Amino acid sequence: MISPARPPTRRIAVLLTGALALVSAATGCGAATGARPATDKVTSITALDYYTDETEHAQWGKVLTACGKTAGVRVEQTSVPGASLIPKVLQRASSRTLPDLLMLDNPDLQQIAQTGALTPLDRYGIDSGGFAKGILSAGTYKGKVYGLAPAVSTVVLFYNKDMLTEAGVAVPRTWNELKAAAAKLARPGRYGMAVDANATFEGTWQFLPFLWSNGGDERRLDTPQAAQALRLWVDLVKSGSMSKSVLNWTQADVHDQFVAGRTAMMINGPWRIPALNQDKNLHWGTAPVPVPRAGRTPITPLGGEVWTVPQNPFKARQEKAARVLACLNDRSTMRTLAEQHFTVPSRTAVAAQYAERTPSMAAFVENVEAARARTSRLGVGWPQAATGIYTAIQSALTGRQTPEEALRNGQQIATGH
């Protein structure tokens, strides 16, 4: 799942020295590697994740400890900053000195599986039944499941109930309704709608529901469907219904605008709910992301982390790690994690029960049913396409190019020519 402060995708350019030391400890390099037992008498395994937030780390520590007990091992958990994880994983993949249990942001799985550093989970007999199709796709590489996510996230439309009631506006379900509602809700000091349109993968993440729900495709950005989706955002800015500052806002900034009453609606994720719940004077609701026209199903991107079992010479350790992974993805653990983190259980039946008990998560559960993994169509080529998308968004919203021109340029970036 995505923590409140964490963007949905991470790419890095710099390694932190301190983080390197932490990862080295977790991956068992140096003397620790040689000390790993090669027999069935495995008493401990290592696990690596990026849950560095103190509360989040502690919550996951309890879950890993409990699942370790079911497997008969102690789980030694190490958490490193998200920006440090993938470089170190790639560095250690070739030497097979990865930890026994490895957590990855789901768009990164393709890149790591491509190196041959992960083991397919079918060899351990892990139950992957009942998972939503998109969720299973997020952990799949070349037809083999390499990772499973206990819970996932996506984005929905948040709205201020009081503002909509005062303005006599119904919760928008279509793009036309969204434009009309945003215009009616806008007034001095307040915009009707807010999104994150910045020049990062976060901006792409927020645009995907509009692109995909209109039949757009990241494999071919220069299409009428993609241009129509981008035109919607352009029109919202041009009409004054949405601030031009969205070009620089993060998802956290969008949240702050909403809490401060400077926007009546926003696109955001469930990791914002704990903070929203702290403001007792803020009456908010959620709804599926509006679609181009009535009858369409919103298609949103999947966020969340998958757990994997890396390759190493010690099969007994891999078996133990697989048992812990299976426990993390059982129905009971899914419910616990979803309740702790405001995420959606990955098994459809569990998610449906969760939505009944937690109404604020019902829209997320609905959107997850048709949600799509960002790597489902392009695999390891996804980051380049994502760059092309957010570049096009920036060009169109600043007025430098029309949506059509911006997306043609974005397609060139996505394909490298």
Side-chain angles (χ1 to χ4, degrees):
M1 63 227 52
I2 302 172
S3 75
R6 185 178 299 121
T9 311
R10 303 151 191 86
R11 289 295 183 271
I12 61 296
V14 180
L15 287 174
L16 302 178
T17 303
L20 289 176
L22 285 172
V23 183
S24 295
T27 53
C29 57
T33 302
R36 285 180 170 179
T39 71
D40 288 336
K41 296 179 180 179
V42 177
T43 59
S44 67
I45 63 170
T46 57
L48 179 63
D49 58 51
Y50 52 46
Y51 301 130
T52 54
D53 174 81
E54 185 176 344
T55 300
E56 192 175 31
H57 178 85
Q59 289 174 336
W60 273 98
K62 289 180 181 179
V63 173
L64 287 168
T65 296
C67 283
K69 287 181 179 179
T70 68
V73 292
R74 183 178 72 258
V75 180
E76 300 172 358
Q77 178 196 17
T78 298
S79 300
V80 299
S84 302
L85 183 64
I86 297 305
K88 195 60 179 179
V89 169
L90 290 171
Q91 180 183 342
R92 294 297 178 185
S94 60
S95 59
R96 299 295 188 261
T97 55
L98 288 168
D100 302 303
L101 191 62
L102 174 64
M103 183 279 302
L104 295 169
D105 191 19
N106 76 75
D108 293 326
L109 180 131
Q110 301 275 327
Q111 182 185 16
I112 304 306
Q114 186 183 43
T115 70
L118 305 178
T119 60
L121 299 182
D122 60 356
R123 71 172 55 171
Y124 307 110
I126 293 176
D127 175 20
S128 60
F131 283 76
K133 181 180 178 181
I135 296 172
L136 205 57
S137 170
T140 301
Y141 175 72
K142 290 190 174 180
K144 290 280 188 179
V145 177
Y146 287 88
L148 288 176
V152 295
S153 62
T154 190
V155 291
V156 300
L157 180 76
F158 285 80
Y159 59 91
N160 185 304
K161 291 182 177 181
D162 295 337
M163 291 180 183
L164 266 66
T165 298
E166 180 188 3
V169 172
V171 178
R173 300 290 179 174
T174 66
W175 287 4
N176 284 339
E177 291 175 0
L178 176 63
K179 289 170 71 173
K184 196 169 182 180
L185 289 161
R187 60 188 58 183
R190 186 179 83 194
Y191 290 94
M193 178 68 175
V195 298
D196 166 355
N198 69 20
T200 70
F201 290 160
E202 258 192 22
T204 297
W205 156 267
Q206 289 233 328
F207 181 67
L208 287 176
F210 300 91
L211 174 70
W212 287 346
S213 299
N214 198 42
D217 192 325
E218 60 271 30
R219 294 171 297 187
R220 192 75 203 182
L221 299 178
D222 52 346
T223 63
Q225 293 86 348
Q228 289 163 4
L230 187 49
R231 173 67 65 186
L232 172 66
W233 280 21
V234 170
D235 288 347
L236 286 168
V237 171
K238 280 187 174 180
S239 68
S241 297
M242 192 159 73
S243 172
K244 194 172 182 178
S245 295
V246 298
L247 285 160
N248 302 308
W249 285 348
T250 65
Q251 292 183 126
D253 295 328
V254 171
H255 165 90
D256 291 344
Q257 294 291 317
F258 184 76
V259 171
R262 291 191 288 269
T263 185
M265 299 182 291
M266 69 170 177
I267 299 295
N268 227 315
W271 51 90
R272 298 295 162 198
I273 292 178
L276 292 175
N277 283 340
Q278 290 178 9
D279 189 341
K280 301 306 179 184
N281 295 319
L282 180 64
H283 305 125
W284 55 274
T286 58
V289 177
V291 291
R293 53 185 174 274
R296 285 283 184 98
T297 298
I299 304 174
T300 59
L302 277 172
E305 293 82 32
V306 294
W307 288 85
T308 68
V309 178
Q311 295 277 8
N312 72 53
F314 307 107
K315 301 306 178 187
R317 298 183 72 91
Q318 290 179 325
E319 291 287 348
K320 292 291 188 180
R323 287 181 62 185
V324 174
L325 187 152
C327 173
L328 291 176
N329 285 277
D330 71 23
R331 289 157 180 78
S332 176
T333 307
M334 281 184 176
R335 283 192 292 269
T336 298
L337 291 169
E339 290 164 359
Q340 287 178 344
H341 301 281
F342 287 95
T343 47
V344 178
S346 293
R347 296 183 196 265
T348 303
V350 181
Q353 295 169 357
Y354 175 60
E356 290 180 3
R357 296 195 307 270
T358 316
S360 64
M361 292 299 297
F364 289 99
V365 171
E366 182 177 342
N367 273 4
V368 161
E369 289 177 7
R372 184 184 300 168
R374 283 158 279 174
T375 54
S376 63
R377 294 184 173 178
L378 285 174
V380 294
W382 162 249
Q384 200 163 341
T387 302
I389 291 170
Y390 72 64
T391 301
I393 293 170
Q394 289 277 308
S395 294
L397 264 61
T398 55
R400 291 196 302 268
Q401 293 179 308
T402 66
E404 291 78 9
E405 292 168 341
L407 287 162
R408 281 197 293 270
N409 180 56
Q411 177 65 17
Q412 292 176 345
I413 294 171
T415 58
H417 56 77

